[in-house]
Amino acid sequence: MPGADITDRADLERLLREFYAAAFADPLIGPYFTEVAGLELEAHLPHITDFWESALLRTADYRRNAFAPHQGLHRRRPLTAEHFGRWVQLWQAAVDGRHGGPVAERAKAQGERIARAMLRRTAGPDTGGGTGGFVPLSAVLLRSG
């Protein structure tokens, strides 16, 4: 059963730590974080928390370009609909595992919108109209695996 809704920065930090633990360990998208980007979570976490706090709670001032790092990754190792779909699966499972409520639902919807936009911008406009392999699975299916 999910917990309370996302209400503050501390909720987002805990959620993002859980999400990134799963994302780093994932065989499909983990190498993008660990090998291609060489992401240092502790350095990255304040910025990504600012992003989500701004998007969901309107209490942070995010002024970075969220697309630029993804574009750089795509240039080094192309990102596909499958990668973005997996990101959405893990994000939705992390949100569902910790939170329930209107902000949590908005976080899941926003995550999918962001993934679709990133896919269109990296792989081109032809990937954004249909599913193109982008098939998020139900978080229930993820938890049973």
Side-chain angles (χ1 to χ4, degrees):
M1 176 178 285
D5 205 356
I6 299 167
T7 61
D8 58 21
R9 186 175 182 92
D11 287 341
L12 288 169
E13 285 178 359
R14 285 187 294 273
L15 172 62
L16 289 164
R17 283 185 189 282
E18 187 171 305
F19 165 74
Y20 277 106
F24 277 39
D26 186 75
L28 180 63
I29 66 171
Y32 282 87
F33 294 106
T34 60
E35 297 167 20
V36 181
L39 186 71
E40 293 290 332
L41 185 57
E42 291 309 313
H44 183 64
L45 193 61
H47 304 297
I48 196 68
T49 305
D50 285 348
F51 173 84
W52 283 106
E53 190 177 13
S54 178
L56 298 174
L57 304 175
R58 313 286 194 255
T59 56
D61 192 21
Y62 182 79
R63 295 190 183 272
R64 296 173 149 241
N65 179 347
F67 177 67
H70 298 88
Q71 185 177 37
L73 287 174
H74 181 70
R75 285 186 186 131
R76 293 198 310 252
R77 187 183 297 175
L79 293 160
T80 68
E82 185 180 11
H83 296 110
F84 286 108
R86 184 64 179 151
W87 185 95
V88 169
Q89 292 168 0
L90 294 173
W91 176 247
Q92 290 182 349
V95 172
D96 283 342
R98 290 195 73 85
H99 299 285
V103 178
E105 290 303 312
R106 201 163 63 243
K108 293 187 301 184
Q110 182 75 7
E112 188 165 336
R113 279 192 300 275
I114 290 166
R116 286 185 183 280
M118 294 276 185
L119 175 62
R120 274 192 306 274
R121 291 184 71 187
T122 56
D126 291 342
T127 60
T131 60
F134 182 93
V135 184
L137 297 177
S138 154
V140 173
L141 292 176
L142 290 173
R143 284 193 211 122
S144 66

